[in-house]
mmCIF file of all heavy atoms in Angstrom:
data_model
loop_
_atom_site.group_PDB
_atom_site.id
_atom_site.type_symbol
_atom_site.label_atom_id
_atom_site.label_comp_id
_atom_site.label_asym_id
_atom_site.label_seq_id
_atom_site.Cartn_x
_atom_site.Cartn_y
_atom_site.Cartn_z
ATOM 1 N N LEU A 13 4.729 4.682 5.134
ATOM 2 C CA LEU A 13 5.821 5.477 5.678
ATOM 3 C C LEU A 13 6.522 4.564 6.685
ATOM 4 O O LEU A 13 7.770 4.614 6.880
ATOM 5 C CB LEU A 13 5.267 6.692 6.456
ATOM 6 C CG LEU A 13 4.520 7.645 5.482
ATOM 7 C CD1 LEU A 13 3.997 8.896 6.210
ATOM 8 C CD2 LEU A 13 5.367 8.075 4.275
ATOM 9 N N LYS A 15 6.789 0.438 6.877
ATOM 10 C CA LYS A 15 6.406 -0.598 5.832
ATOM 11 C C LYS A 15 6.053 -1.948 6.491
ATOM 12 O O LYS A 15 6.483 -2.294 7.543
ATOM 13 C CB LYS A 15 7.618 -0.855 4.883
ATOM 14 C CG LYS A 15 8.411 0.334 4.444
ATOM 15 C CD LYS A 15 7.721 0.865 3.252
ATOM 16 C CE LYS A 15 8.536 2.126 2.694
ATOM 17 N NZ LYS A 15 7.701 2.869 1.665
ATOM 18 N N TRP A 212 14.402 -6.303 12.096
ATOM 19 C CA TRP A 212 13.474 -5.488 11.342
ATOM 20 C C TRP A 212 12.053 -5.566 11.882
ATOM 21 O O TRP A 212 11.411 -4.504 12.163
ATOM 22 C CB TRP A 212 13.527 -5.924 9.890
ATOM 23 C CG TRP A 212 12.182 -5.559 9.043
ATOM 24 C CD1 TRP A 212 11.164 -6.345 8.809
ATOM 25 C CD2 TRP A 212 11.815 -4.267 8.625
ATOM 26 N NE1 TRP A 212 10.178 -5.742 8.124
ATOM 27 C CE2 TRP A 212 10.603 -4.431 8.017
ATOM 28 C CE3 TRP A 212 12.482 -3.072 8.618
ATOM 29 C CZ2 TRP A 212 9.928 -3.320 7.431
ATOM 30 C CZ3 TRP A 212 11.774 -1.979 8.002
ATOM 31 C CH2 TRP A 212 10.548 -2.025 7.452
ATOM 32 N N GLU A 219 8.376 2.131 15.778
ATOM 33 C CA GLU A 219 8.473 3.135 14.676
ATOM 34 C C GLU A 219 7.047 3.667 14.328
ATOM 35 O O GLU A 219 6.870 4.832 14.051
ATOM 36 C CB GLU A 219 9.118 2.559 13.379
ATOM 37 C CG GLU A 219 10.611 2.270 13.599
ATOM 38 C CD GLU A 219 11.413 2.694 12.429
ATOM 39 O OE1 GLU A 219 11.287 2.232 11.416
ATOM 40 O OE2 GLU A 219 12.302 3.538 12.751
ATOM 41 N N GLY A 236 9.640 12.756 7.872
ATOM 42 C CA GLY A 236 10.550 12.430 6.783
ATOM 43 C C GLY A 236 11.753 11.598 7.222
ATOM 44 O O GLY A 236 12.132 10.554 6.613
ATOM 45 N N GLU A 237 12.345 11.909 8.374
ATOM 46 C CA GLU A 237 13.481 11.177 8.893
ATOM 47 C C GLU A 237 13.093 9.693 9.210
ATOM 48 O O GLU A 237 13.833 8.755 8.917
ATOM 49 C CB GLU A 237 14.066 11.792 10.182
ATOM 50 C CG GLU A 237 14.888 12.941 9.796
ATOM 51 C CD GLU A 237 15.457 13.811 10.956
ATOM 52 O OE1 GLU A 237 15.386 13.336 12.048
ATOM 53 O OE2 GLU A 237 15.986 14.833 10.708
ATOM 54 N N ILE A 238 11.884 9.521 9.796
ATOM 55 C CA ILE A 238 11.534 8.132 10.148
ATOM 56 C C ILE A 238 11.206 7.367 8.876
ATOM 57 O O ILE A 238 11.610 6.198 8.669
ATOM 58 C CB ILE A 238 10.244 8.202 11.108
ATOM 59 C CG1 ILE A 238 10.570 8.844 12.437
ATOM 60 C CG2 ILE A 238 9.756 6.744 11.216
ATOM 61 C CD1 ILE A 238 9.428 8.811 13.368
ATOM 62 N N ALA A 239 10.494 8.043 7.929
ATOM 63 C CA ALA A 239 10.154 7.287 6.718
ATOM 64 C C ALA A 239 11.510 6.897 5.908
ATOM 65 O O ALA A 239 11.620 5.724 5.455
ATOM 66 C CB ALA A 239 9.362 8.220 5.811
ATOM 67 N N GLU A 240 12.500 7.771 5.884
ATOM 68 C CA GLU A 240 13.767 7.379 5.266
ATOM 69 C C GLU A 240 14.392 6.211 5.937
ATOM 70 O O GLU A 240 14.842 5.334 5.326
ATOM 71 C CB GLU A 240 14.646 8.585 5.230
ATOM 72 C CG GLU A 240 14.270 9.640 4.127
ATOM 73 C CD GLU A 240 15.379 10.624 3.880
ATOM 74 O OE1 GLU A 240 16.548 10.616 4.556
ATOM 75 O OE2 GLU A 240 15.152 11.423 2.954
ATOM 76 N N ARG A 241 14.520 6.336 7.239
ATOM 77 C CA ARG A 241 15.137 5.314 8.079
ATOM 78 C C ARG A 241 14.474 3.934 7.854
ATOM 79 O O ARG A 241 15.036 2.914 7.587
ATOM 80 C CB ARG A 241 15.201 5.691 9.480
ATOM 81 C CG ARG A 241 15.987 4.924 10.367
ATOM 82 C CD ARG A 241 15.922 5.484 11.801
ATOM 83 N NE ARG A 241 14.639 5.367 12.418
ATOM 84 C CZ ARG A 241 14.231 6.080 13.415
ATOM 85 N NH1 ARG A 241 14.866 7.100 13.859
ATOM 86 N NH2 ARG A 241 12.969 5.906 13.981
ATOM 87 N N ASN A 242 13.110 3.991 7.857
ATOM 88 C CA ASN A 242 12.376 2.789 7.731
ATOM 89 C C ASN A 242 12.510 2.151 6.384
ATOM 90 O O ASN A 242 12.654 0.916 6.113
ATOM 91 C CB ASN A 242 10.918 3.026 8.012
ATOM 92 C CG ASN A 242 10.069 1.770 8.052
ATOM 93 O OD1 ASN A 242 9.478 1.396 7.042
ATOM 94 N ND2 ASN A 242 10.039 0.995 9.157
ATOM 95 N N ALA A 243 12.616 3.031 5.318
ATOM 96 C CA ALA A 243 12.775 2.468 3.964
ATOM 97 C C ALA A 243 14.162 1.857 3.831
ATOM 98 O O ALA A 243 14.337 0.778 3.329
ATOM 99 C CB ALA A 243 12.605 3.636 2.904
ATOM 100 N N TRP A 244 15.165 2.568 4.362
ATOM 101 C CA TRP A 244 16.543 1.976 4.292
ATOM 102 C C TRP A 244 16.516 0.650 5.025
ATOM 103 O O TRP A 244 17.150 -0.355 4.543
ATOM 104 C CB TRP A 244 17.560 2.859 4.959
ATOM 105 C CG TRP A 244 18.083 4.040 4.137
ATOM 106 C CD1 TRP A 244 18.190 5.321 4.455
ATOM 107 C CD2 TRP A 244 18.742 3.868 2.821
ATOM 108 N NE1 TRP A 244 18.771 6.081 3.417
ATOM 109 C CE2 TRP A 244 19.107 5.173 2.417
ATOM 110 C CE3 TRP A 244 18.961 2.804 1.968
ATOM 111 C CZ2 TRP A 244 19.856 5.369 1.181
ATOM 112 C CZ3 TRP A 244 19.614 3.052 0.816
ATOM 113 C CH2 TRP A 244 20.027 4.395 0.430
ATOM 114 N N ARG A 245 15.870 0.574 6.143
ATOM 115 C CA ARG A 245 16.036 -0.763 6.886
ATOM 116 C C ARG A 245 15.240 -1.802 6.118
ATOM 117 O O ARG A 245 15.695 -2.970 6.208
ATOM 118 C CB ARG A 245 15.448 -0.483 8.242
ATOM 119 C CG ARG A 245 16.402 0.340 9.114
ATOM 120 C CD ARG A 245 15.927 0.457 10.659
ATOM 121 N NE ARG A 245 16.938 1.226 11.306
ATOM 122 C CZ ARG A 245 16.833 1.726 12.516
ATOM 123 N NH1 ARG A 245 15.717 1.448 13.183
ATOM 124 N NH2 ARG A 245 17.802 2.444 13.048
ATOM 125 N N MET A 246 14.110 -1.485 5.495
ATOM 126 C CA MET A 246 13.361 -2.518 4.764
ATOM 127 C C MET A 246 14.370 -3.097 3.662
ATOM 128 O O MET A 246 14.479 -4.274 3.453
ATOM 129 C CB MET A 246 12.154 -2.024 4.246
ATOM 130 C CG MET A 246 11.309 -3.110 3.426
ATOM 131 S SD MET A 246 10.031 -2.373 2.423
ATOM 132 C CE MET A 246 10.807 -2.652 0.823
ATOM 133 N N HIS A 247 14.957 -2.132 2.937
ATOM 134 C CA HIS A 247 15.885 -2.544 1.863
ATOM 135 C C HIS A 247 17.111 -3.200 2.401
ATOM 136 O O HIS A 247 17.597 -4.184 1.760
ATOM 137 C CB HIS A 247 16.172 -1.414 0.943
ATOM 138 C CG HIS A 247 14.990 -0.983 0.066
ATOM 139 N ND1 HIS A 247 14.885 -1.475 -1.189
ATOM 140 C CD2 HIS A 247 13.931 -0.312 0.285
ATOM 141 C CE1 HIS A 247 13.800 -1.157 -1.715
ATOM 142 N NE2 HIS A 247 13.115 -0.316 -0.835
ATOM 143 N N ALA A 248 17.605 -2.883 3.567
ATOM 144 C CA ALA A 248 18.768 -3.569 4.113
ATOM 145 C C ALA A 248 18.425 -4.968 4.469
ATOM 146 O O ALA A 248 19.090 -5.968 4.209
ATOM 147 C CB ALA A 248 19.197 -2.769 5.384
ATOM 148 N N THR A 249 17.170 -5.186 5.028
ATOM 149 C CA THR A 249 16.734 -6.551 5.362
ATOM 150 C C THR A 249 16.538 -7.348 4.092
ATOM 151 O O THR A 249 17.026 -8.506 4.075
ATOM 152 C CB THR A 249 15.293 -6.508 5.995
ATOM 153 O OG1 THR A 249 15.371 -5.463 6.921
ATOM 154 C CG2 THR A 249 14.948 -7.734 6.654
ATOM 155 N N ALA A 250 16.150 -6.749 3.052
ATOM 156 C CA ALA A 250 15.984 -7.513 1.739
ATOM 157 C C ALA A 250 17.303 -7.865 1.147
ATOM 158 O O ALA A 250 17.584 -8.902 0.569
ATOM 159 C CB ALA A 250 15.103 -6.678 0.796
ATOM 160 N N LEU A 251 18.281 -6.897 1.288
ATOM 161 C CA LEU A 251 19.611 -7.070 0.740
ATOM 162 C C LEU A 251 20.210 -8.294 1.504
ATOM 163 O O LEU A 251 21.127 -8.971 0.901
ATOM 164 C CB LEU A 251 20.449 -5.844 0.908
ATOM 165 C CG LEU A 251 20.273 -4.747 -0.107
ATOM 166 C CD1 LEU A 251 20.837 -3.489 0.296
ATOM 167 C CD2 LEU A 251 20.824 -5.199 -1.478
ATOM 168 N N LEU A 260 17.038 -1.384 -5.926
ATOM 169 C CA LEU A 260 17.430 -0.023 -6.214
ATOM 170 C C LEU A 260 18.189 0.012 -7.552
ATOM 171 O O LEU A 260 18.832 -1.072 -7.932
ATOM 172 C CB LEU A 260 18.385 0.457 -5.224
ATOM 173 C CG LEU A 260 17.861 0.273 -3.692
ATOM 174 C CD1 LEU A 260 18.866 0.792 -2.675
ATOM 175 C CD2 LEU A 260 16.503 1.013 -3.473
ATOM 176 N N THR A 264 17.995 5.592 -8.599
ATOM 177 C CA THR A 264 17.329 5.744 -7.245
ATOM 178 C C THR A 264 18.316 6.409 -6.259
ATOM 179 O O THR A 264 17.888 7.316 -5.530
ATOM 180 C CB THR A 264 17.069 4.312 -6.700
ATOM 181 O OG1 THR A 264 16.513 3.520 -7.764
ATOM 182 C CG2 THR A 264 16.073 4.407 -5.583
ATOM 183 N N LEU A 265 19.511 6.002 -6.286
ATOM 184 C CA LEU A 265 20.581 6.534 -5.380
ATOM 185 C C LEU A 265 20.879 7.981 -5.760
ATOM 186 O O LEU A 265 21.110 8.753 -4.829
ATOM 187 C CB LEU A 265 21.837 5.698 -5.422
ATOM 188 C CG LEU A 265 21.583 4.217 -4.950
ATOM 189 C CD1 LEU A 265 22.891 3.439 -4.987
ATOM 190 C CD2 LEU A 265 21.125 4.225 -3.475
ATOM 191 N N GLU A 266 20.878 8.249 -6.985
ATOM 192 C CA GLU A 266 21.116 9.711 -7.478
ATOM 193 C C GLU A 266 19.998 10.601 -6.933
ATOM 194 O O GLU A 266 20.276 11.729 -6.396
ATOM 195 C CB GLU A 266 20.978 9.742 -8.960
ATOM 196 C CG GLU A 266 22.289 9.640 -9.614
ATOM 197 C CD GLU A 266 22.242 9.903 -11.099
ATOM 198 O OE1 GLU A 266 21.529 10.787 -11.534
ATOM 199 O OE2 GLU A 266 22.781 9.086 -11.923
ATOM 200 N N ILE A 268 18.097 10.052 -4.277
ATOM 201 C CA ILE A 268 18.339 10.043 -2.767
ATOM 202 C C ILE A 268 19.431 11.050 -2.330
ATOM 203 O O ILE A 268 19.245 11.897 -1.429
ATOM 204 C CB ILE A 268 18.600 8.698 -2.198
ATOM 205 C CG1 ILE A 268 17.409 7.815 -2.282
ATOM 206 C CG2 ILE A 268 19.214 8.695 -0.762
ATOM 207 C CD1 ILE A 268 17.545 6.336 -2.042
ATOM 208 N N GLU A 269 20.549 11.023 -3.072
ATOM 209 C CA GLU A 269 21.562 11.901 -2.784
ATOM 210 C C GLU A 269 21.293 13.302 -3.066
ATOM 211 O O GLU A 269 21.496 14.299 -2.266
ATOM 212 C CB GLU A 269 22.889 11.516 -3.669
ATOM 213 C CG GLU A 269 24.112 12.441 -3.544
ATOM 214 C CD GLU A 269 24.600 12.548 -2.042
ATOM 215 O OE1 GLU A 269 24.326 11.671 -1.258
ATOM 216 O OE2 GLU A 269 25.332 13.497 -1.822
ATOM 217 N N ARG A 272 19.293 14.802 -0.284
ATOM 218 C CA ARG A 272 20.155 15.225 0.893
ATOM 219 C C ARG A 272 20.754 16.583 0.599
ATOM 220 O O ARG A 272 20.839 17.492 1.455
ATOM 221 C CB ARG A 272 21.267 14.175 0.962
ATOM 222 C CG ARG A 272 21.200 13.510 2.307
ATOM 223 C CD ARG A 272 22.031 12.168 2.280
ATOM 224 N NE ARG A 272 23.398 12.362 1.576
ATOM 225 C CZ ARG A 272 24.529 12.611 2.207
ATOM 226 N NH1 ARG A 272 24.555 12.764 3.498
ATOM 227 N NH2 ARG A 272 25.664 12.732 1.610
ATOM 228 N N ARG A 275 18.218 19.362 0.938
ATOM 229 C CA ARG A 275 17.983 19.675 2.321
ATOM 230 C C ARG A 275 18.950 20.620 2.968
ATOM 231 O O ARG A 275 18.574 21.459 3.787
ATOM 232 C CB ARG A 275 17.866 18.390 3.127
ATOM 233 C CG ARG A 275 16.583 17.662 3.001
ATOM 234 C CD ARG A 275 16.310 16.780 4.216
ATOM 235 N NE ARG A 275 17.203 15.743 4.509
ATOM 236 C CZ ARG A 275 17.152 14.485 3.979
ATOM 237 N NH1 ARG A 275 16.099 14.215 3.193
ATOM 238 N NH2 ARG A 275 18.042 13.586 4.257
ATOM 239 N N PHE A 283 12.613 11.088 1.377
ATOM 240 C CA PHE A 283 12.178 9.986 0.381
ATOM 241 C C PHE A 283 11.764 8.889 1.107
ATOM 242 O O PHE A 283 11.999 8.600 2.306
ATOM 243 C CB PHE A 283 13.333 9.672 -0.554
ATOM 244 C CG PHE A 283 14.357 8.836 0.112
ATOM 245 C CD1 PHE A 283 14.278 7.408 0.206
ATOM 246 C CD2 PHE A 283 15.439 9.407 0.813
ATOM 247 C CE1 PHE A 283 15.186 6.636 0.808
ATOM 248 C CE2 PHE A 283 16.410 8.510 1.472
ATOM 249 C CZ PHE A 283 16.224 7.269 1.450
ATOM 250 N N THR A 284 10.932 8.124 0.435
ATOM 251 C CA THR A 284 10.624 6.686 0.878
ATOM 252 C C THR A 284 10.697 5.836 -0.325
ATOM 253 O O THR A 284 10.702 6.337 -1.514
ATOM 254 C CB THR A 284 9.387 6.511 1.685
ATOM 255 O OG1 THR A 284 9.235 5.024 2.074
ATOM 256 C CG2 THR A 284 8.154 6.798 0.858
ATOM 257 N N LEU A 285 10.773 4.478 -0.123
ATOM 258 C CA LEU A 285 10.825 3.573 -1.330
ATOM 259 C C LEU A 285 9.918 2.372 -1.062
ATOM 260 O O LEU A 285 9.860 1.920 0.039
ATOM 261 C CB LEU A 285 12.271 3.003 -1.435
ATOM 262 C CG LEU A 285 13.372 3.872 -1.889
ATOM 263 C CD1 LEU A 285 14.738 3.193 -1.504
ATOM 264 C CD2 LEU A 285 13.407 4.193 -3.365
#
Side-chain angles (χ1 to χ4, degrees):
L13 303 178
K15 315 275 178 191
W212 155 260
E219 296 225 296
E237 279 175 10
I238 295 174
E240 285 198 353
R241 190 175 70 205
N242 186 266
W244 275 130
R245 287 182 180 175
M246 185 195 104
H247 283 267
T249 313
L251 280 165
L260 313 178
T264 317
L265 297 176
E266 271 187 38
I268 289 172
E269 177 56 21
R272 244 164 43 95
R275 279 209 296 271
F283 74 89
T284 183
L285 291 163

